[in-house]
Each structure stands twice: as C-alpha cells, then as structure tokens.
C-alpha cells in the first residue's frame, strides 16, 4: 500500500490497494493542515511522513518507517527532521515535490512521483484471523472463505481491491466488508480499523497488506494469526506482492545515491527493524517489479 501505506500503502496498500463494497466506517474527516516544514540544509534530512499512520509512522516516532528514517539519517550523518502530512491523495505533491522535505521512506518500487532507490524489501497481502479460528486457512482457494465475512481496505471510487480481484478470478462468492484505508483521521491510525474489526469479530478474516497487518496483529490485545499469502496468489495482471523503495525529489540524484549507499550498507539493520515489527517479507526479485494499482493517496 504497498507504504503508504505506501504502499499505502496502503498501500500500499498498499496498503495500498483497495476498492469498495459495504460501508463499515464513518465518513472520513478532513486531516489537519500541516505547519511549515523544517528548513533545508546540508546537515538535515527532512523526511515526509504521516503523523497518524501506525504501524508506518507517527509523530512520536513509533512506526517502523520512523525507525528506518532514523537509521538513514545516522548513515548520512544528518539530523532527522520531519514534515508531517497525511498520506492520502496529494501527499507527494504537497510534500517532497513541493520541496518541503527530502525523502519518503516507503514508496512502491517504480513509483512515478519520486526518484526511487532500489527496493529494500518486498511483501505481500496476508490473511488475518483470530488465532483460535479457521486453522489451516492459508490461501484464497480455501472454500471456507465463501462462508466468511471478509474484510478488505479500499480507496473509494470504482477501484476494486486487489484481494477482491483475486477472489473474483477464482469465482469465490465471498461476503466482502470494506474499510476505507483513509478512515476517520480524528481516530488514531485510521487504517488499523480493519485489523481491529478482526479482533472484535466484526469480520471473520481480513485480507490486508502484510506490512500493515503484521505489526498491528502483534500489538493487538486479542491474539491474531497473520498468514502471508503465497506468491502468485493475485489475479493475472494484478499481483498481491509489491516491492518497497525509498523516494527522493525528482532530480535530486545526489541524495538518491547517498541514500542508496546507506540502504546497501545498513541492509542488515533495516532488516532487523522490519523483523522487530513483524513485517512479513518476501525475497527481493529482479526487475521488472510491479507497481501497486493504487497507493494510499501518495501522488
């Protein structure tokens, strides 16, 4: 949503990847207007991030992208500063493209609104259930899905979420309940509503972007099971696996090269951050790497 939650982000999801059916949420509130950002300077790394978007980022620095941003700043020998802006439509235009910040930590590989590093991790959608329910549910071909309430994220409009596309391709007549990836911005971490719905029993299973689902399930007060979908679970032309890169302002090739060097040099540390947050990861693959059909409003 992919980051966005990413992918999107949610996309990314990724979270990024989403379309709509039933209305299970309140109308979205308008996000607050961000104050002026930090001044640019050679000793500062200005990161564009959402202050209310865990597990990716928040104002306290509790998200895994906050941790990766700190790692990059240390590697560059710069002081970390944030420019806060909600991750939704217009994010890149109002942040990195406007010169108010230098770097977006998580963008879909191939994202067209920034100059991107090579992907530093790759993930996929996952099935999320309460831990005690539906043992062995591991794939979209499981016939039990036809009897369950399946929660997904959506962006709105006519876009159909990739998991629903994949289910439709299998002719699985599921009962889909959609949750806006944007949600109500007055709530904490709006995309988390989907995972909370699983914990409450409002839906039986969620099909969610893994980097969103893994960390949220880990901190859930109700034990949840997260099962990453096997590679190739998507419909033809609509994958469920996405690679994530870091993005800088177009034309800033010097910063791009510097960030890439840090990513290469500190790949182990960044991998440990992702593991600490329970972000499901797939092996990185060679290009071409697909770009999510819909990021979390990060254009």
């Amino acid at each position: 949503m992919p980051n966005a939650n990413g992918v999107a982000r949610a996309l990314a999801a990724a979270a990024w990847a989403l379309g709509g059916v039933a209305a299970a949420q309140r109308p979205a509130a308008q996000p607050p207007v961000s104050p002026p950002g930090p001044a640019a300077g050679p000793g500062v790394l200005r990161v564009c991030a959402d202050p209310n978007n865990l597990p990716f980022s928040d104002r306290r620095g509790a998200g895994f992208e906050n941790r990766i941003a700190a790692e990059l700043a240390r590697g560059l020998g710069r002081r970390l500063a944030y420019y806060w802006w909600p991750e939704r439509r217009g994010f890149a235009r109002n942040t990195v493209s406007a010169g108010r910040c230098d770097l977006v930590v998580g963008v879909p590989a191939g994202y067209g609104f920034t100059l991107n590093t090579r992907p530093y991790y790759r993930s996929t959608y996952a099935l999320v259930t309460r831990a005690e329910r539906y043992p062995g549910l591991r794939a979209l071909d499981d016939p039990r899905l036809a009897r369950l309430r399946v929660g997904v994220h959506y962006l709105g409009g006519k876009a159909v979420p990739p998991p629903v596309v994949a289910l439709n391709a299998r002719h699985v007549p599921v009962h889909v309940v959609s949750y806006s990836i944007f949600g109500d911005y007055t709530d904490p971490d709006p995309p988390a509503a989907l995972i909370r719905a699983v914990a409450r029993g409002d839906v039986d299973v969620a099909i969610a972007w893994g980097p969103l689902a893994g960390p949220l399930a880990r901190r859930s007060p109700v034990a949840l099971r997260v099962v990453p979908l096997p590679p190739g679970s998507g419909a033809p032309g609509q994958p469920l696996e996405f690679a994530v890169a870091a993005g800088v302002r177009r034309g800033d090739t010097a910063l791009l090269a510097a960030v890439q060097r840090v990513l290469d040099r500190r790949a182990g540390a960044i991998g440990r951050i992702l593991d600490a947050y329970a972000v499901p990861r797939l092996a990185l693959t060679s290009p071409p790497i697909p770009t999510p059909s819909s990021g979390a409003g990060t254009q």
Side-chain angles (χ1 to χ4, degrees), residues 2-266:
N3 89 88
N5 22 113
V7 187
R9 254 129 94 128
L11 28 150
W16 316 355
L18 327 170
V21 195
Q25 61 288 319
R26 290 171 281 173
Q30 290 300 311
V33 175
S34 177
V44 180
L45 177 65
R46 302 176 305 163
V47 169
C48 330
D50 190 325
N52 185 30
N53 192 31
L54 290 181
F56 299 99
S57 62
D58 79 350
R59 196 179 293 276
R60 299 170 301 153
F64 68 82
E65 291 190 349
N66 293 118
R67 296 275 306 278
I68 293 172
E71 191 71 30
L72 294 175
R74 277 193 295 272
L76 292 168
R78 298 188 185 189
R79 177 175 62 83
L80 176 62
Y82 280 101
Y83 184 73
W84 301 115
W85 192 272
E87 282 226 26
R88 52 193 63 208
R89 191 168 300 281
F91 178 80
R93 182 177 67 249
N94 289 291
T95 58
V96 66
S97 297
R100 293 172 175 143
C101 46
D102 309 307
L103 175 76
V104 183
V105 170
V107 298
Y111 185 54
F113 295 88
T114 50
L115 197 57
N116 306 319
T117 65
R118 291 191 297 275
Y120 61 91
Y121 79 95
R122 180 169 167 261
S123 191
T124 185
Y125 277 78
L127 298 167
V128 184
T129 63
R130 291 179 68 137
E132 77 279 10
R133 296 180 182 174
Y134 319 114
L137 182 62
R138 309 192 67 82
L140 299 182
D141 298 313
D142 193 309
R144 287 177 290 180
L145 286 173
R147 303 192 298 271
L148 303 181
R149 296 164 297 169
V150 179
V152 299
H153 273 134
Y154 78 103
L155 274 174
K158 297 181 179 178
V160 180
V164 177
V165 175
L167 291 167
N168 288 342
R170 291 167 169 78
H171 306 289
V172 179
V174 295
H175 174 192
V176 172
V177 182
S178 293
Y179 290 78
S180 171
I181 190 70
F182 304 129
D184 184 339
Y185 205 73
T186 61
D187 290 339
D189 315 312
L194 173 60
I195 307 304
R196 295 184 186 122
V198 178
R200 286 195 306 266
D202 294 344
V203 296
D204 301 306
V205 55
I207 308 176
W209 176 231
L212 174 81
L216 291 177
R218 172 167 287 190
R219 70 178 192 173
S220 169
V222 176
L224 301 178
R225 181 191 301 114
V226 178
V227 180
L229 289 169
S233 295
Q238 178 58 82
L240 296 179
E241 310 94 40
F242 302 104
V244 178
V248 304
R249 188 168 45 260
R250 287 174 173 174
D252 196 347
T253 55
L255 180 60
L256 178 72
V259 171
Q260 185 63 66
R261 286 193 294 272
V262 176
L263 286 172
D264 293 342
R265 193 168 64 244
R266 304 203 173 200

